[in-house]
Amino acid sequence: MIKQRYMAAAFLLALLPFFISGCKNSSVTSYYEKGALATASPIATNIGEQVFAKGGNAFDVAVAVGFALAVVHPEAGNIGGGGFAVIRDASTKEIKALDFREKAPLASSEKMYLDSMGNLIENMSTVGANACGVPGTLAGLYELWQEHGSLKWPELVNYAVLLADSGFIVNAYQAESFAKYKDRLSVFDESSRLFFPGNENWQKGDTFVNRELGWTLAQIQKDGLVSFYTGDIADSIVATVKRYGGLISHEDLASYQIKWRKPVSFRFDSLQIYSMPPPSSGGLIMGQILKLVEAYDFSKYDPASIEYIHLFCESARLAFADRSEYLGDPDFYNIPFDILDENYISKRRELINLNTTNSSLEILPGIMPTYESGQTTHYSVVDAQGNMVAVTYTLNSSYGSKLAVSGCGFLLNNEMDDFALAPGVPNLYGLVGGEANKIEPAKRMLSSMSPTIVLKNDKPLFILGSPGGSQIITAVTQVIVSLSRFRLPLERALAQPRFHHQWLPDNILLEEKSFDINVKQGLLKLGHVIKETDMIGEIHAVYIDGAGLMTAVADSRGPGHAGGQ
Ligand code: GLY
């Protein structure tokens, strides 16, 4: 891979409109009539705008953006991982959930990450070939296009082919991200050569070229799923994984299939909410939290008040406790009862005391994770017809397993860590689980990704999602509460300081430097343990007003950008 410090003229000229408009408009908010989107990358958003300009619909945009992010946002954008999409088809008004989550290799087994003493083998589920699930992203993007796209497949993939071949200009965010992960990526020769040719560091303004990925994307452009799941790319995946002792086989790749699922749907206030069902916990846990808080009078609360934070966190604690027990891949494990049932929720609500908290540690020992932060990416797309596409996809932690497929220019995920590796042992998000989410061959690991569509009076109102592992659920839920209960406009709803509780570890996480000292003291007085973190979630959302005007907002916590036509 050649690191180039000159302008890759042709393609960058094609992106000139973006650089110009990007300079003029540094705001993350825009208003559009024909189509709008928000993604984690200004370049990917610009590609979405180009697809809209060509007459593409929201699905076409979602496909082109998915491939573009795989090039320009390599820590999370991917073809070596998996994800989910919640979509609304304007022609039928149907809302559906597409599951392209990774699967455990057929040769995997329940105790594969434990030593002979039953202890977790360090890093095995997070780094290298053993950490990888069978990738589903390409199958997911292909399905979105095949079922709902209107432009030609090669045209949609072409943007990413050009980006990979000609390169993109590294911004400050990306240079910092590469620097942060250099040591970990350099463990594998394939990744070291790809991301740090000549072992050099990246500076803002450099051009990152990835011709190996350009080749891979060109195969995908030509033959769709064939090369990746059964041809040359499949051979390289299997050979790379085998070299490092992993399990993914040709049979795993050839048998990978997406699943259409019925979204989790429920009402909150006057909103109709549709989100991801298992194998994501997102929709159900969001539903529990919203239903628990719905019964309370918010007139004395504000979005950063002690009372609201306490109520929300007590509700989240209850919901996440259920997550650890009852949720897993529905093809392998039946959730034993309806965890959104009104009577059940009422009973759970009785456990909330507005004046104090108790200890989750009384129930099960919690261990504060000290692992690297998770990284995922979400983008939201809406068009004038009312098609809506919310995509959250991931390699799991930043740059996934850190292992790049030899000669192919892309990273494999470390999604196996999302299984319950042993009862009560926390994964890299500190989440614990048991039987429902144990490892089984060809099973999908439990996720927290929550691509979400919200309607009001059966009309599209907003669409959103976030990265952040378990924090995805609380971030998305808090934005919904801010829009509905606190009546904030979208940009302010996203700007609100966020907080998080997931039952175990037993503490409230607050975004640092965002909360008043009185709020922290008030929470301590109620019995909470407080920890701080740099940020919680990175929401990309589109709001549609009564006249059909779209507001797109990229969360100012990240490098994202909103755009449209
Ligand atoms: N890998 C993070 C999630 O799926 O929740």
Side-chain angles (χ1 to χ4, degrees):
M1 203 55 35
I2 308 157
K3 182 178 173 187
Q4 295 172 320
R5 289 178 189 270
Y6 57 86
M7 297 285 278
F11 189 62
L12 295 178
L13 272 178
L15 284 179
L16 206 53
F18 151 68
F19 288 111
I20 293 167
S21 67
C23 292
K24 272 190 193 148
N25 176 15
S26 61
S27 161
V28 290
T29 306
S30 305
Y31 302 93
Y32 300 104
E33 286 176 3
K34 294 187 180 151
L37 74 159
T39 85
S41 154
I43 298 173
T45 295
N46 177 258
I47 285 171
E49 288 173 322
Q50 291 184 43
V51 176
F52 272 137
K54 277 194 176 167
N57 63 21
F59 298 97
D60 296 317
V61 169
V63 171
V65 165
F67 285 117
L69 286 169
V71 182
V72 299
H73 194 59
E75 57 269 57
N78 70 82
I79 52 174
F84 303 120
V86 174
I87 63 123
R88 176 177 189 267
D89 177 349
S91 62
T92 60
K93 299 194 168 43
E94 200 183 358
I95 296 181
K96 298 191 294 183
L98 178 63
D99 171 354
F100 51 98
R101 181 72 160 164
E102 298 93 328
K103 296 174 76 163
L106 290 162
S108 55
S109 53
E110 188 180 343
K111 298 188 175 151
M112 63 188 275
Y113 298 110
L114 306 183
D115 64 18
S116 55
M117 307 290 287
N119 297 317
L120 202 60
I121 301 169
E122 203 179 348
N123 293 336
M124 192 178 169
S125 66
T126 53
V127 181
N130 272 296
C132 309
V134 183
T137 292
L138 175 60
L141 294 178
Y142 194 78
E143 178 73 9
L144 280 181
W145 170 76
Q146 203 170 35
E147 283 292 303
H148 299 286
S150 69
L151 300 182
K152 292 199 164 56
W153 173 257
E155 201 178 337
L156 298 175
V157 185
N158 202 45
Y159 295 96
V161 175
L162 291 177
L163 261 182
D165 278 344
S166 304
F168 66 92
I169 294 180
V170 171
N171 59 17
Y173 165 86
Q174 195 60 55
E176 202 178 303
S177 170
F178 279 143
K180 185 170 168 195
Y181 286 92
K182 186 175 182 197
D183 289 351
R184 278 170 273 186
L185 284 162
S186 298
V187 166
F188 299 102
D189 286 348
E190 291 80 356
S191 310
S192 177
R193 268 188 285 114
L194 190 65
F195 292 107
F196 305 100
N199 199 28
E200 279 187 64
N201 294 319
W202 289 95
Q203 310 295 334
K204 179 181 165 199
D206 288 345
T207 302
F208 180 80
V209 175
N210 185 347
R211 296 222 168 91
E212 291 181 6
L213 182 55
W215 174 84
T216 298
L217 290 166
Q219 310 315 302
I220 289 169
Q221 183 181 31
K222 258 193 307 222
D223 65 22
L225 304 182
V226 178
S227 182
F228 192 95
Y229 286 105
T230 56
D232 290 346
I233 305 170
D235 289 347
S236 298
I237 295 173
V238 173
T240 304
V241 165
K242 200 167 166 196
R243 188 172 319 132
Y244 290 98
L247 302 177
I248 296 176
S249 65
H250 280 103
E251 192 186 352
D252 282 313
L253 290 164
S255 61
Y256 183 86
Q257 286 194 326
I258 58 91
K259 295 234 166 174
W260 283 105
R261 300 189 188 273
K262 190 169 174 294
V264 169
S265 64
F266 57 91
R267 291 189 79 90
F268 172 66
D269 294 342
S270 58
L271 307 178
Q272 301 151 259
I273 297 177
Y274 299 84
S275 192
M276 199 63 211
S280 180
S281 58
L284 288 170
I285 299 309
M286 183 193 307
Q288 277 205 350
I289 299 171
L290 286 172
K291 283 174 170 287
L292 285 164
V293 303
E294 189 174 29
Y296 291 85
D297 174 9
F298 272 49
S299 60
K300 292 201 183 72
Y301 298 170
D302 74 56
S305 59
I306 300 162
E307 294 79 5
Y308 170 54
I309 297 171
H310 174 69
L311 169 64
F312 188 98
C313 289
E314 290 302 288
S315 305
R317 233 157 55 103
L318 290 169
F320 273 96
D322 276 2
R323 184 194 193 275
S324 75
E325 188 68 26
Y326 299 124
L327 302 188
D329 181 347
D331 298 338
F332 286 74
Y333 179 86
N334 285 326
I335 305 172
F337 63 100
D338 177 4
I339 71 167
L340 292 185
D341 176 77
E342 296 292 348
N343 293 328
Y344 176 67
I345 295 286
S346 298
K347 282 222 151 46
R348 295 293 277 174
R349 199 182 291 117
E350 285 167 16
L351 300 175
I352 296 175
N353 182 335
L354 292 181
N355 301 313
T356 185
T357 187
N358 61 359
S359 170
S360 299
L361 295 174
E362 286 166 20
I363 307 164
L364 201 76
I367 299 163
M368 183 66 190
T370 53
Y371 313 93
E372 63 185 283
S373 65
Q375 187 56 280
T376 290
T377 190
H378 174 86
Y379 55 99
S380 295
V381 191
V382 180
D383 65 26
Q385 290 70 46
N387 293 307
M388 305 171 87
V389 191
V391 177
T392 314
Y393 74 150
T394 188
L395 292 165
N396 194 19
S397 62
S398 287
Y399 302 94
S401 66
K402 320 292 184 282
L403 176 60
V405 176
S406 192
C408 293
F410 68 90
L411 289 161
L412 290 168
N413 65 83
N414 59 353
E415 215 72 60
M416 289 297 283
D417 190 68
D418 272 351
F419 278 115
L421 307 177
V425 173
N427 72 1
L428 62 79
Y429 303 106
L431 292 164
V432 291
E435 186 71 15
N437 190 31
K438 72 180 183 193
I439 304 171
E440 293 177 73
K443 186 176 179 180
R444 284 151 150 99
M445 53 296 282
L446 186 61
S447 172
S448 298
M449 292 189 285
S450 312
T452 300
I453 284 176
V454 179
L455 309 186
K456 189 170 180 177
N457 300 326
D458 295 323
K459 291 211 177 92
L461 187 65
F462 60 92
I463 175 171
L464 77 171
S466 174
S470 47
Q471 296 165 17
I472 292 172
I473 302 174
T474 39
V476 170
T477 307
Q478 280 162 38
V479 170
I480 293 173
V481 175
S482 287
L483 287 163
S484 181
R485 279 290 163 107
F486 297 117
R487 305 208 170 273
L488 298 180
L490 186 61
E491 195 166 4
R492 279 194 54 209
L494 264 62
Q496 281 307 311
R498 297 190 191 127
F499 44 88
H500 174 76
H501 202 310
Q502 60 179 50
W503 178 55
L504 292 174
D506 188 6
N507 55 55
I508 294 183
L509 269 183
L510 297 177
E511 283 189 322
E512 63 194 5
K513 300 190 192 108
S514 304
F515 291 88
D516 194 86
I517 185 71
N518 295 329
V519 171
K520 292 181 193 171
Q521 280 172 351
L523 291 169
L524 290 171
K525 251 194 205 155
L526 287 171
H528 291 286
V529 175
I530 293 176
K531 305 256 176 195
E532 291 191 311
T533 186
D534 54 348
M535 60 189 256
I536 293 175
E538 186 188 318
I539 303 259
H540 295 137
V542 178
Y543 191 92
I544 307 103
D545 72 13
L549 201 63
M550 296 168 224
T551 309
V553 183
D555 200 321
S556 57
R557 290 165 179 80
H561 196 79
Q565 286 282 305

